Amino acid sequence: MSEVGKPAYAARDPAASSSHRAGLQTRVDAALSRPGSGTPPMPATQLQQLARDLATSGETAAVIRLWDLLGGSKNAEPSTWAAVEELHARGKGRIPTGTLTLPPLAKRTLAPARRLHKICKGRVVSARSGLALVHLDRAAAWVATQRTLGRSSFEAGGARSKFWKELQTVLGVDKETARGLATKPKRKKLI
């Protein structure tokens, strides 16, 4: 990236940028073509590459459409995830919607930047949850011990961060695992 939010190719040659966008538009049109339109479906490897190219170009709305076409996070390749997370890393208010024309959807959807955030956050929370499963029994035992000692509240008054920090210290786990442990017992109705 040359400037904030602008792909490197845009800084080199505006004509190349225009032809690159036209090429992306053609590829997106082919990928999103309806069944029965006479166009064969695009292979998954080409969809993955297109999603990476769109993420690199800052075409968030098109990335989200392709994400749904790919079947979501379970089918995304690591390199596609990396490109999507790089787009997300631009930060709140700096994620462009994109300039490509997309066919309208029948139902209302979230704004592309918001949907991208939910996709990336889902991956982080899922990883945290997996880490927490290993220590869940120890955390449940600690919570039960605390209850027998008279402690009744673990998250009252927005004290979730205090709770995971306490779990981190008591169980000797890293920050992400402790944050997952602060959520898991709540979902399993232990606290």
Side-chain angles (χ1 to χ4, degrees):
M1 295 293 213
S2 57
E3 296 175 43
V4 175
K6 290 189 179 177
Y9 65 81
R12 288 193 304 264
D13 183 8
S17 174
S18 176
S19 65
H20 180 75
R21 288 231 184 277
L24 281 177
Q25 182 69 59
T26 303
R27 291 167 60 201
V28 166
D29 290 343
L32 298 178
S33 64
R34 302 276 184 244
S37 65
T39 312
M42 191 178 276
T45 54
Q46 287 181 9
L47 287 174
Q48 297 278 349
Q49 182 60 49
L50 179 55
R52 288 189 293 270
D53 293 345
L54 290 167
T56 302
S57 299
E59 294 290 341
T60 310
V63 168
I64 298 304
R65 285 289 197 75
L66 266 136
W67 193 260
D68 293 338
L69 199 61
L70 282 167
S73 24
K74 291 185 173 99
N75 298 327
E77 294 174 355
S79 55
T80 305
W81 261 116
V84 166
E85 286 176 340
E86 186 176 325
L87 177 60
H88 181 250
R90 290 182 181 189
K92 187 173 183 175
R94 295 187 178 160
I95 299 172
T97 300
T99 59
L100 299 180
T101 304
L102 302 172
L105 290 173
K107 60 183 179 179
R108 190 173 170 207
T109 60
L110 286 174
R114 183 76 186 127
R115 178 79 192 284
L116 181 70
H117 175 69
K118 283 185 164 281
I119 288 167
C120 292
K121 182 179 177 183
R123 185 173 193 203
V124 169
V125 170
S126 178
R128 234 185 244 160
S129 179
L131 292 170
L133 279 175
V134 175
H135 304 282
L136 188 58
D137 292 335
R138 288 178 42 212
W142 179 79
V143 167
T145 303
Q146 293 299 307
R147 290 225 167 144
T148 59
L149 296 174
R151 185 171 176 183
S152 60
S153 175
F154 291 93
E155 292 191 36
R160 184 174 182 269
S161 63
K162 289 179 186 172
F163 180 54
W164 71 253
K165 287 175 185 173
E166 196 172 354
L167 282 171
Q168 182 180 15
T169 305
V170 170
L171 300 177
V173 295
D174 64 280
K175 176 183 175 181
E176 290 302 310
T177 303
R179 290 183 74 183
L181 282 169
T183 302
K184 273 288 187 191
K186 186 169 139 185
R187 287 187 182 160
K188 295 210 176 249
K189 308 242 189 287
L190 299 173
I191 57 172

